Amino acid sequence: MIQGQGQENQEKHLESLKTYLNDSIGKFEVDSLRLRIPFNDITIINSDIVDKMGIYNAVSGEIIEEPKPRNWYRVEKKNERGEKLYAYKLSIEKITLEKGRASKYLCMQLNSKILEKDYFKGLTPETIEKAYNTLMNEMIVSFPLDSFLEAECTDIDFKKDIINKHFIPSIEVLYSMSIPYKKAKQGANIFREKTNKGIEWGGHRRTATPTNPFLKLYHKGIQCVSSKDMLPFYREYLKPGEMQGLEQIEDRVRIEYTLKNKKHLRKYGIESHRVKDILSISQEKKNDMLKDIVKYHLEAREPQSIKPKEGLAPMDMILYSTMSDMVENTIRSKDDIVKKHIEFIEEKNARYRAKKRLNMIFDTYISTRKKAKENEGISSLFNALNW
């Protein structure tokens, strides 16, 4: 009886894990952002962040540089083996904003790793309080939750995870379809290392602009088990033993893009850059922003049609031939091929009959081919990228 209960509990736990992983698929959420809180809203708890530091001659004791406040503090979370799980830096900065006004702020780069076991959920209206509580528990500074939610932010990274088994050939296609640029730090950069598979555009997140936005696509599953920065975190919080063999991890691909500042947000009609408002941006808006960003880096997704061979009859053989050609010589999916064949048929019933006939031919004679299956997988990834 006890053994049966143990197995039942294990099965429930596995289902709960799958639900958590599935819920984090296909949605855009904030992965990281840089935020600033007015200095007047915070209380210093750990004086190390404001202690004065100077540079002295170790022999004579002579002052080389006058002591001044350090104004920063690095928090590093480690496991029992001393490996870094994640880190973030708090700093006190004087920032000149619009209209030349300068104010003092507490600044920090907030990453979804601070959510630990809820990492894959990202920073959302539902998880942001957990991030806040973790910050407060460090006892470095203190500030109200409202000040945290009202904080202004920049360098916002949005992420969306998808499941795709055809990622490796997909990035080669994306690289070949990337818009060429003569300027440095523009255009595509592909990485094909065993432990790092992906492609990025726009140079670097820090230099992202509205006309050269940062966009990245990479294999999250490979990163989790290979990256020296990610593997200790993965082992600690995401329990690879439990997730082994789950496609939600092993075939997980991540899409990321960056909105640099207030100007970049305004381009998409977003007037507020406060944390609570950034976290509440709709999925539709976040997908529309991706669609626009993709246009700066990729040529239009419209492979050249394959000319059908002549002298073949009957009509079904012609249809089979053209569809077969398109499967083997393009990256079109079944839906794309059928849509292309009937795009100029205006009469509703005729269009329905033609579509039904084409689907039957494809499903019977073409769908089981390896290339057809690969095209479907590649196409699903491109659809997720809004390309």
Side-chain angles (χ1 to χ4, degrees):
M1 182 68 177
I2 295 175
Q3 185 178 0
Q5 285 179 340
Q7 184 177 355
E8 184 180 347
N9 290 337
Q10 188 176 2
E11 289 174 356
K12 286 182 179 179
H13 176 69
L14 184 59
E15 285 306 311
S16 175
L17 182 61
K18 287 181 178 179
T19 299
Y20 158 62
L21 292 172
N22 285 331
D23 286 347
S24 65
I25 295 294
K27 294 185 291 188
F28 265 114
E29 304 297 355
V30 173
D31 183 52
S32 67
L33 47 77
R34 178 174 168 80
L35 61 86
R36 55 178 181 252
I37 301 172
F39 187 75
N40 291 338
D41 288 358
I42 72 168
T43 301
I44 302 294
I45 299 175
N46 187 333
S47 61
D48 286 350
I49 195 171
V50 290
D51 277 352
K52 291 186 176 182
M53 297 190 302
I55 300 176
Y56 300 84
N57 185 302
V59 177
S60 67
E62 180 185 357
I63 297 175
I64 298 174
E65 185 177 307
E66 287 293 334
K68 55 185 178 182
R70 179 168 67 171
N71 285 340
W72 61 266
Y73 191 93
R74 178 178 169 83
V75 179
E76 191 168 290
K77 187 74 175 280
K78 295 182 178 181
N79 61 18
E80 293 178 352
R81 295 182 295 277
E83 297 172 310
K84 186 184 80 172
L85 301 174
Y86 63 88
Y88 56 91
K89 182 180 177 181
L90 305 172
S91 59
I92 296 171
E93 302 176 19
K94 197 170 185 179
I95 300 175
T96 301
L97 304 173
E98 294 176 348
K99 299 179 181 179
R101 61 186 177 92
S103 299
K104 201 173 180 182
Y105 290 90
L106 172 73
C107 301
M108 72 182 80
Q109 186 75 28
L110 191 67
N111 187 287
S112 55
K113 279 186 176 179
I114 201 170
L115 299 172
E116 300 178 351
K117 291 181 180 180
D118 290 328
Y119 166 71
F120 281 127
K121 292 181 180 179
L123 298 169
T124 71
E126 291 73 36
T127 63
I128 194 64
E129 193 166 343
K130 181 176 181 179
Y132 169 78
N133 289 334
T134 300
L135 290 170
M136 295 301 97
N137 289 338
E138 291 294 339
M139 302 294 288
I140 301 160
V141 294
S142 176
F143 44 81
L145 176 59
D146 285 347
S147 295
F148 186 53
L149 297 176
E150 291 288 337
E152 298 174 333
C153 50
T154 58
D155 299 286
I156 307 152
D157 288 342
F158 293 96
K159 62 90 178 175
K160 177 168 74 171
D161 289 352
I162 60 172
I163 303 299
N164 195 278
K165 297 179 183 294
H166 302 278
F167 178 70
I168 307 304
S170 298
I171 59 174
E172 298 296 337
V173 174
L174 290 168
Y175 188 63
S176 69
M177 294 292 288
S178 295
I179 297 171
Y181 287 94
K182 293 182 179 179
K183 291 183 179 180
K185 298 182 180 179
Q186 289 188 335
N189 175 36
I190 191 169
F191 19 102
R192 304 183 177 96
E193 293 84 2
K194 185 178 180 181
T195 59
N196 188 19
K197 306 281 188 185
I199 184 170
E200 65 185 17
W201 299 265
H204 196 279
R205 299 176 201 274
R206 290 195 301 270
T207 58
T209 66
T211 55
N212 185 37
F214 181 81
L215 174 65
K216 185 176 182 179
L217 189 70
Y218 64 100
H219 201 295
K220 192 67 180 178
I222 290 176
Q223 186 205 44
C224 281
V225 299
S226 303
S227 167
K228 64 179 182 180
D229 291 329
M230 187 68 191
L231 184 55
F233 181 90
Y234 178 58
R235 286 172 173 162
E236 184 76 14
Y237 299 116
L238 306 178
K239 308 299 181 187
E242 298 176 352
M243 298 188 180
Q244 188 173 2
L246 297 180
E247 67 170 5
Q248 293 95 333
I249 287 291
E250 295 190 354
D251 298 317
R252 182 175 287 248
V253 172
R254 176 161 290 192
I255 302 165
E256 292 180 353
Y257 65 86
T258 301
L259 297 188
K260 183 67 182 171
N261 49 33
K262 197 171 183 178
K263 179 182 177 181
H264 206 163
L265 289 164
R266 281 176 176 165
K267 178 185 177 184
Y268 300 110
I270 301 169
E271 292 300 325
S272 171
H273 61 313
R274 301 188 185 280
V275 169
K276 66 177 184 180
D277 296 319
I278 295 300
L279 299 183
S280 298
I281 296 173
S282 70
Q283 290 296 317
E284 182 181 9
K285 171 66 76 174
K286 285 179 280 196
N287 274 293
D288 285 346
M289 292 190 292
L290 173 65
K291 193 177 294 185
D292 181 74
I293 287 169
V294 163
K295 291 176 184 176
Y296 287 96
H297 299 303
L298 289 168
E299 303 283 0
R301 183 184 165 188
E302 185 61 35
Q304 184 180 0
S305 298
I306 305 301
K307 185 178 180 180
K309 294 180 180 180
E310 298 176 358
L312 295 176
M315 184 58 69
D316 285 353
M317 183 60 76
I318 294 174
L319 295 174
Y320 164 77
S321 179
T322 58
M323 289 196 292
S324 179
D325 239 13
M326 292 173 80
V327 164
E328 297 300 329
N329 295 291
T330 75
I331 55 171
R332 286 186 181 277
S333 65
K334 170 189 166 182
D335 288 345
D336 289 338
I337 291 172
V338 171
K339 185 178 178 181
K340 188 69 176 175
H341 276 78
I342 64 174
E343 64 180 335
F344 298 122
I345 302 176
E346 296 181 358
E347 203 277 314
K348 186 176 180 181
N349 289 332
R351 186 181 181 90
Y352 170 79
R353 290 194 298 272
K355 183 177 181 180
K356 184 177 180 181
R357 192 69 184 167
L358 288 161
N359 279 322
M360 184 277 292
I361 295 170
F362 194 101
D363 291 342
T364 304
Y365 302 105
I366 300 174
S367 63
T368 56
R369 293 185 193 177
K370 182 179 178 181
K371 183 63 165 60
K373 292 178 180 179
E374 184 177 290
N375 286 1
E376 294 296 326
I378 290 174
S379 182
S380 70
L381 187 144
F382 293 162
N383 290 336
L385 188 59
N386 285 340
W387 180 47

